[in-house]
Amino acid sequence: MSTRGALTSAFAAQDPAHARLVNAVAVTAGMLLSALFGQFVIHTFHAETGLLAMAIFLSVQAGGMVKDATARGRLLTTALLIPTLVAAVAVAAFLSTHGPLVIVGFILIAGAAIWFRRFGARAAAIGSLGFMGYFFTLFMRPSADELPAFALVAVGAAAAQTVVRTALLIKRPRRELEVLLRELRMGSAVAVHVSGGSGPGRGVDANTRALRSALQRLDHVGRAITSWQRQFQTDRHVDVDDQTLAQWVLDARVDTEEACAERARQGKEPAPGSAVLDLRARGEGALEVILDDRAAPHRVQAARDVAVDLIAQCQTSIVDVETYLLARCALSHARLRGIDIARGRHRTPVRPPVGAEHPGTVEHPMAADSPRPATPKAAPATPPRPKMRWTAWRSWEPTTRMAVQAMIAAALAAGVGEVISASRWYWAVMTAFVIFLGATTRSGIFTRAYRRVAGTIIGIGIGVGAVTLVAGDTSLLVAIAVIAVFGMLYFGPLNYLYASVFITTMLVSLYRMLGVLDGSLLELRLVETLSGALIGVLCAYLILSTNSRSVLLGKGDAYFETLEHLLRAVREEHVTDRAELMATLQKVEDAQTDLAQAVASMSAALAIGGPGGSHLQTDEVRLTGIATRGAARFAQARIRALEEPSRGTAVDDAVDVVVAEIAPAAQAMRAVLGDDVEPGAVPMDPPSADRRSDASPVIDYLHDLPSGSPASRDAVFALARIDWALRRIVGRASGLRARRSRGRRAADAGVAVD
């Protein structure tokens, strides 16, 4: 790949974030409309200029809090925010004349906003914006004469976002799919390019991280295509049916990953002039052409023919796994590229049956007389944890407990914030409230609080630097604010730290425009934020607190249960068609995503919680991702195996070996998550030699497969990958437990352990 092509692909392939990009542009546009309307209201009613800041904040919140799954759902939720704001402003204005009642209402609405999350995304958005409307009314205290202008600005903030959401209903499904398939090709090109070598100035570790990131982007694009298929009827827009498109995308993802993994594993190339080197060069060239959107159709067809020829040569004369996988990857993408997006399936014949363009598989070099391992006995099930002493509030829903915590935190933050600054107390309250949004555990709240404070510190530095550079130019300050809003919406969903950085940068820009920016104000912002975060965390940990580990344990158990269900369903032939198999695989991928997101949301708490946190972050979740990719390849192979006359029993035996590893791996994951062995539990066995090695004994089942069963061979390779990942989890957890045990013994003896 040329340097220009690599750079172009790297930037273009970043969009598994296409949905975030669209949302960020839409909400930013709505914010600009709200700001223009707010300026009009200020000019017409001669209202105070502070309403402009409220118009911007409420509009950003009205757009950013809407999380419905469909465009129509998001439009309806945004429209419902208009009466929500009217009601919140009216209630706050009425109670403001009744002394203590306004504070009681403030505390109650904070709790209600958190409690409403139990009813779904729409209720969560309505509750959160209701709190914001009540809060701004309480903070700005509009008089009876100012109330109409204030209400108009608040309504305009939500109405502007509704207008933008209406425009987004104009869908172009065929164009969307075309973009997603192009992103899949571009992302694959980046992954293949990265896997070919470390490149100048890059070490092996950096290259491994880059390849891992590229493959993760492919996973995201695959999920985006799945989301597209859920919204639209596939065969109305393309010339293949729903299941065929889903499987072809899976084939492209799996084949690309296999080719990249083999290229990265091989390391150095064969000697110059060798036949193997020539074959690899032809495979790389064919794949590069097919992944290049600018390639002419005749060149794509010629590259496809080269790939077919290379597969035939690898099967008959020269055994070279990398060449075979490159050619296989090229065929997968060529098949996707041949889809006619301009016409629906009812206008054109269906494509060739699945597997028709994947002739055979290559023999993997291995010892011919390797002994086949005996099928291990299933490990004992994870023992149930003893029940905790019953307490009424422990049976509450998490949102109910957090609602009580949020109410107390808001009340305390209001008091502490008032003591720190009578004019800026709302910063503490806002921080105490928002750290409860999006979190479901006390560790998640701690992590959001940490990111809020860290983001504020970083944002102050960036904001001060930016406004200093523009030297007070109003148009440039507005540009900084707009860029900050866009950055908050685009990068914020990835990490709350980014959202805090950009929102603070925007605040610095706004205060510079208002002419009130100084060092004491920024110091006050930091102190109030820190106070609100500290109060929120203390309330989460000291009031109606429950351990967050149970959530992580549940996510881990759910993942291993879905993985085992997939393997057993195939083994026992409960899954007999590709639609059902793809649906089962989707459950495995969703469970792994839930586990990864749960860990990410608690990362700060896990990092200071002992060695288990760091190990969990760096390896264990990654290993479940490897197992999930192995499951995807296994599903791909089993779909193709439906065409084979006989698959033999070796695949079933290999499945038994992997299934037997799931219980120890689930127990090991519990150990990593901090779930120490309870009294009476079966202790975890130390890792055996085969669990510590890079090889999986499952691979030896290849010897028992009948000839002419390429899909079954692919299934065994996939099972070997799952087995390797599970054994690594068990081995690492055993080492972690040993270190914990040594630490406890040393602590009992009064000896410090490094």
Side-chain angles (χ1 to χ4, degrees), residues 37-334:
F37 181 74
Q39 188 64 44
F40 168 76
V41 171
I42 291 172
H43 177 75
T44 302
F45 289 84
H46 304 288
E48 62 173 290
T49 57
L51 289 180
L52 182 61
M54 188 189 77
I56 293 174
F57 273 103
L58 280 182
S59 184
V60 171
Q61 296 296 332
M65 290 178 177
V66 176
K67 306 291 185 183
D68 295 78
T70 65
R72 292 185 181 277
R74 290 189 290 271
L75 172 60
L76 177 59
T77 300
T78 308
L80 290 174
L81 297 182
I82 297 176
T84 299
L85 280 174
V86 172
V89 170
V91 170
F94 172 76
L95 292 180
S96 62
T97 59
H98 291 74
L101 287 180
V102 71
I103 302 300
V104 173
F106 174 68
I107 295 173
L108 290 177
I109 198 170
I114 300 298
W115 185 74
F116 281 168
R117 292 170 52 197
R118 69 185 301 173
F119 299 110
R122 177 169 297 156
I126 291 174
S128 298
L129 201 68
F131 171 84
M132 295 295 176
Y134 188 99
F135 172 82
F136 273 106
T137 307
L138 181 62
F139 164 65
M140 299 195 72
R141 299 181 183 277
S143 63
D145 295 336
E146 296 170 335
L147 191 60
F150 182 90
L152 272 178
V153 170
V155 169
Q161 295 295 337
T162 305
V163 170
V164 174
R165 294 291 181 186
T166 303
L168 288 180
L169 284 181
I170 304 174
K171 284 286 187 179
R172 298 178 62 192
R174 294 176 184 174
R175 174 61 179 168
E176 288 182 16
L177 180 60
E178 184 179 0
V179 170
L180 288 170
L181 292 177
R182 183 182 300 121
E183 290 169 357
L184 186 66
R185 288 193 294 273
M186 289 181 174
S188 299
V190 172
V192 172
H193 176 71
V194 171
S195 66
S198 59
R202 297 181 66 181
V204 175
D205 290 341
N207 195 68
T208 300
R209 289 193 296 270
L211 178 58
R212 189 180 303 162
S213 176
L215 295 176
Q216 286 174 346
R217 289 205 298 269
L218 290 185
D219 290 342
H220 289 312
V221 175
R223 294 189 185 102
I225 295 175
T226 300
S227 177
W228 181 92
Q229 291 189 269
R230 289 172 178 169
Q231 295 183 55
F232 306 105
Q233 186 176 339
T234 301
D235 57 8
R236 290 180 60 87
H237 305 288
V238 298
D239 60 341
V240 295
D241 61 29
D242 181 79
Q243 292 303 321
T244 299
L245 177 61
Q247 187 193 326
W248 287 3
V249 171
L250 175 64
D251 288 345
R253 288 170 53 194
V254 173
D255 292 341
T256 300
E257 183 188 350
E258 292 298 318
C260 292
E262 183 65 21
R263 281 165 62 82
R265 189 183 69 82
Q266 289 290 341
K268 65 178 183 178
E269 296 182 347
S274 67
V276 171
L277 181 60
D278 178 65
L279 286 177
R280 289 186 186 178
R282 292 179 63 197
E284 290 175 3
L287 181 57
E288 182 176 350
V289 169
I290 290 173
L291 294 179
D292 185 1
D293 283 315
R294 297 169 297 178
H298 71 276
R299 292 186 62 209
V300 174
Q301 181 60 42
R304 180 189 176 282
D305 294 340
V306 169
V308 172
D309 180 63
L310 287 174
I311 287 181
Q313 291 190 50
C314 287
Q315 289 176 322
T316 58
S317 58
I318 300 175
V319 177
D320 181 56
V321 178
E322 182 176 333
T323 300
Y324 168 76
L325 292 175
L326 287 170
R328 183 183 172 96
C329 180
L331 287 181
S332 294
H333 283 283

Side-chain angles (χ1 to χ4, degrees), residues 412-413 415-422 424-432 449 452-454 456-457 460 504 519-536:
L412 293 176
V416 173
E418 182 79 21
V419 171
I420 296 173
S421 172
R424 306 294 177 186
W425 58 271
Y426 57 91
W427 278 335
V429 176
M430 189 65 70
T431 299
R452 177 83 175 189
V453 174
T456 299
I457 296 172
I460 288 175
T504 304
S520 60
L521 181 66
L522 296 179
E523 180 183 357
L524 190 60
R525 163 76 179 179
L526 180 58
V527 172
E528 291 276 5
T529 299
L530 182 60
S531 300
L534 181 60
I535 289 170

Side-chain angles (χ1 to χ4, degrees), residues 506-527:
M506 183 189 72
L507 280 173
V508 173
S509 176
L510 289 177
Y511 283 125
R512 181 67 179 85
M513 279 190 285
L514 296 174
V516 297
L517 183 66
D518 57 41
S520 60
L521 181 66
L522 296 179
E523 180 183 357
L524 190 60
R525 163 76 179 179
L526 180 58
V527 172

